[in-house]
Amino acid sequence: MEVSVGDDYQGRTALVTGASKGLGRAYAMELARRGSRVVLLARSEPELHALAAEIRARHGGTPAEVITGDLSAPDGPQRVLHELRDRGLTIDLLLNNAGAGITGPFLQRAIEPQLRTVGLNVAGLLALTHAIGAEMVARGAGGIINVSSNGAFQPVPYQASYAATKAFVLSFTEALAEELRGTGVHVMATHPGATATGFFDGSSVTMDPGADNPETVAGRTLDDYSRRRGASYPGRTATRVMTWAARLLPRTTVARIAGSFSRRQQWHHAVDTA
Ligand SMILES: NC(=O)c1ccc[n+]([C@@H]2O[C@H](COP(=O)([O-])OP(=O)(O)OC[C@H]3O[C@@H](n4cnc5c(N)ncnc54)[C@H](OP(=O)(O)O)[C@@H]3O)[C@@H](O)[C@H]2O)c1
């Protein structure tokens, strides 16, 4: 049975991490359009307040809360959880979107931002999911959407650590979805392909000119969640087809193909520009 889009969103409270720009901003706007009260989380306070004001103005005063926090900091997720508790906010939908990654040859790029990537994409996501997921299971209702990537399905040379964090998100989400089957809590991963955001800001890498737009990706992800899909492939069809090849070919072959794709994008020469 097809669930009508909107059932999961009207009057619900959604926490969107990484809401200050890019895909997270688009998710927050789309959730508000579908009637959700949104809790906007990122490090950039002015951008979050501007977005909250825009949402209230566009959607007739729909509540939009702002929480600033650094999810890659060891105590970052705990601070966010305390803030939610202090404000009496119960989360119906957790959208783990915040993410970052470094492009370039692994050994030639600094280790600190790569460790922060693991902290944000893996540890931050795990900590929020653990605490908020437990509350949802206790209530017998709720949902979690983890933003993974088409890069989760194969090793990606010159984005080695970033793609590995997304492989973690893919595996973790599939396992948790099965653990929580029947609890009333739906868990789904979404796997965007190249999406026109500021993901590569501050580096010499440029976004694919044919990248999907964040609004389309956000809308399709939320539609797939409403349909209770286990996974969402919200980008162009070609993005999804590439994930099939990675499942059929030997892994060393896949790594070589991915490496030549990366070199064609000049990712092996990537440097910071800011
Ligand atoms: N764009 C793509 O092509 C693409 C493709 C596949 C998957 N994805 C995934 O989509 C998600 C969103 O990426 P995007 O493309 O929208 O990137 P983006 O434009 O760079 O946005 C990243 C968001 O994460 C927040 N963030 C970064 N570090 C944070 C931290 N330490 N603590 C809390 N928030 C933090 C940023 O806000 P602040 O800087 O204000 O903290 C921002 O709101 C990521 O998980 C990414 O891996 C993107």
Side-chain angles (χ1 to χ4, degrees):
M1 188 190 74
E2 190 105 322
V3 177
S4 70
V5 172
D7 290 355
D8 291 304
Y9 306 115
Q10 186 67 45
R12 311 282 185 198
T13 300
L15 170 62
V16 182
T17 72
S20 61
K21 57 183 175 171
L23 262 170
R25 189 179 199 284
Y27 283 125
M29 291 294 278
E30 185 59 21
L31 282 161
R33 195 184 69 75
R34 297 180 187 215
S36 296
R37 164 191 197 160
V38 286
V39 183
L40 311 169
L41 170 67
R43 294 166 303 178
S44 309
E45 194 167 4
E47 284 78 0
L48 293 178
H49 281 296
L51 175 60
E54 191 176 335
I55 286 172
R56 282 187 218 108
R58 271 207 210 179
H59 301 293
T62 295
E65 299 261 349
V66 166
I67 296 181
T68 49
D70 181 350
L71 289 175
S72 70
D75 63 345
Q78 279 311 319
R79 283 171 176 266
V80 170
L81 294 165
H82 283 139
E83 192 65 34
L84 290 171
R85 219 165 293 141
D86 289 349
R87 296 195 205 177
L89 290 167
T90 301
I91 302 304
D92 301 304
L93 175 65
L94 169 61
L95 214 161
N96 280 311
N97 162 78
I102 299 295
T103 305
F106 173 70
L107 296 180
Q108 291 169 32
R109 306 295 268 139
I111 191 63
E112 291 79 11
Q114 308 203 54
L115 292 173
R116 281 198 297 277
T117 291
V118 176
L120 174 64
N121 299 9
V122 174
L125 178 145
L126 277 186
L128 291 186
T129 302
H130 190 262
I132 296 173
E135 292 169 4
M136 290 174 177
V137 169
R139 295 197 306 274
I144 300 169
I145 300 176
N146 289 334
V147 179
S148 176
S149 167
N150 64 331
F153 293 86
Q154 68 283 301
V156 181
Y158 311 106
Q159 273 195 343
S161 58
Y162 169 71
T165 66
K166 294 301 179 178
F168 178 99
V169 174
L170 166 64
S171 170
F172 167 68
T173 307
E174 288 176 342
L176 185 66
E178 173 57 21
E179 287 186 30
L180 299 193
R181 192 158 51 89
T183 63
V185 180
H186 182 63
V187 181
M188 182 186 89
T190 182
H191 305 290
T195 309
T197 69
F199 186 82
F200 290 125
D201 285 358
S203 105
S204 59
V205 179
T206 51
M207 187 55 81
D208 176 350
D212 296 305
N213 83 60
E215 291 73 25
T216 306
V217 170
R220 287 182 182 165
T221 297
L222 296 183
D223 289 350
D224 284 337
Y225 173 81
S226 280
R227 294 183 184 110
R228 294 292 177 267
R229 298 248 159 92
S232 175
Y233 298 87
R236 287 159 293 169
T237 310
T239 307
R240 182 164 194 193
V241 170
M242 272 160 23
T243 70
W244 295 337
R247 293 176 224 197
L248 298 173
L249 298 169
R251 290 187 70 81
T252 46
T253 307
V254 169
R256 289 217 179 123
I257 294 170
S260 27
F261 171 85
S262 299
R263 282 186 286 272
R264 276 206 305 279
Q265 315 291 311
Q266 297 301 309
W267 288 359
H268 56 314
H269 294 312
V271 289
D272 291 336
T273 55

